[in-house]
Amino acid sequence: DTAVSQTPKYLVTQMGNDKSIKCEQNLGHDTMYWYKQDSKKFLKIMFSYNNKELIINETVPNRFSPKSPDKAHLNLHINSLELGDSAVYFCASSQAFRGAQGNEKLFFGSGTQLSVL
Amino acid sequence: AQTVTQSQPEMSVQEAETVTLSCTYDTSESNYYLFWYKQPPSRQMILVIRQEAYKQQNATENRFSVNFQKAAKSFSLKISDSQLGDTAMYFCAFMIYNQGGKLIFGQGTELSVKP
């Protein structure tokens, strides 16, 4: 079983559309994340959620809205897509976001490549 | 500002040889973790090795080892007996302890292992 799974793996869409990327983890972790990898392969955190509560929001445009219906799921909805949103989006999870040793280990999904035309 | 710098955008090495990838970072924090991640063409992010900043002993994982110089804020990765499967993008990253799992990544080094 895949520990952190994202769907879809590839997403091609037109400018102005609204799209969602889904993420699920079966590791029993409390914390989930979204990271963005741009065209130059640079990775940066977007959001983190701990037990459905937003912990980190790295000045991401309001068009991006994460939603966590339960601690095993963290979906990313993007409104009014722009060309600059084209990137690979990675979901990740960790046991917790602070405290005991081992919580720093992130498990990544395989990424969703978003192409906005 | 907390930053990670990888000064080698691309490197190549012959199969079975040893290669070292460089990484420097900047932070005023004293408790943090350092990581090397590998991203092969499959795009999957794979943790290669991890170092806790309070530990002086350099971490090793099979053919992978690090040279951690805390005072110099340097964290290089040595790959011994390079294999074709080591061909990938390698990212250096750090995480401040107790700050919510936020990884700060370097720009990456693309490593090619040649037969």
Side-chain angles (χ1 to χ4, degrees):
Chain A
D1 285 342
T2 304
V4 181
S5 58
Q6 299 179 224
T7 53
K9 292 194 185 309
Y10 298 93
L11 185 52
V12 182
T13 188
Q14 299 288 330
M15 245 180 9
N17 284 350
D18 302 339
K19 290 293 178 187
S20 292
I21 305 172
K22 296 187 175 182
C23 179
E24 176 182 5
Q25 53 94 4
N26 62 7
L27 298 166
H29 288 169
D30 286 338
T31 308
M32 296 185 72
Y33 311 83
W34 280 108
Y35 280 80
K36 178 180 179 180
Q37 186 173 40
D38 65 21
S39 58
K40 294 183 179 176
K41 301 285 185 91
F42 185 66
L43 278 146
K44 188 175 177 184
I45 192 169
M46 299 174 70
F47 303 102
S48 75
Y49 268 74
N50 185 63
N51 217 349
K52 302 194 294 174
E53 180 186 351
L54 180 66
I55 301 299
I56 294 174
N57 181 341
E58 284 285 306
T59 60
V60 177
N62 291 337
R63 299 182 296 103
F64 291 79
S65 52
K67 293 222 172 13
S68 182
D70 55 61
K71 73 174 191 178
H73 295 84
L74 181 61
N75 304 321
L76 184 65
H77 189 76
I78 316 169
N79 290 327
S80 304
L81 277 154
E82 300 178 357
L83 294 176
D85 298 332
S86 295
V88 179
Y89 293 84
F90 285 95
C91 179
S93 72
S94 66
Q95 192 171 349
F97 76 105
R98 58 179 169 213
Q101 186 178 13
N103 295 337
E104 77 289 356
K105 186 174 180 183
L106 268 63
F107 292 76
F108 283 86
S110 56
T112 296
Q113 185 167 334
L114 171 64
S115 299
V116 182
L117 307 177
Chain B
Q2 293 159 349
T3 58
V4 178
T5 302
Q6 293 178 248
S7 58
Q8 305 149 316
E10 297 177 351
M11 292 191 74
S12 66
V13 64
Q14 291 296 129
E15 200 175 3
E17 292 189 348
T18 295
V19 64
T20 299
L21 308 184
S22 301
C23 173
T24 58
Y25 59 94
D26 188 23
T27 182
S28 57
E29 300 284 338
S30 55
N31 293 324
Y32 49 88
Y33 300 99
L34 291 157
F35 307 86
W36 278 97
Y37 279 88
K38 168 185 176 181
Q39 188 179 38
S42 67
R43 208 169 62 200
Q44 184 69 48
M45 292 293 290
I46 301 165
L47 178 62
V48 174
I49 200 164
R50 173 191 92 167
Q51 173 85 38
E52 288 130 317
Y54 67 87
K55 287 188 176 177
Q56 292 188 334
Q57 187 174 2
N58 289 326
T60 61
E61 286 286 341
N62 301 313
R63 298 182 296 107
F64 299 87
S65 61
V66 297
N67 183 1
F68 174 44
Q69 303 287 330
K70 191 171 184 179
K73 295 181 181 172
S74 168
F75 184 62
S76 60
L77 174 70
K78 186 171 86 170
I79 306 174
S80 304
D81 185 25
S82 296
Q83 299 176 0
L84 296 178
D86 295 334
T87 293
M89 182 74 90
Y90 286 81
F91 293 97
C92 179
F94 83 91
M95 179 192 293
I96 305 299
Y97 184 71
N98 253 355
Q99 277 195 10
K102 176 180 173 180
L103 278 165
I104 298 171
F105 285 92
Q107 309 93 316
T109 295
E110 187 151 16
L111 177 67
S112 297
V113 180
K114 300 187 185 305

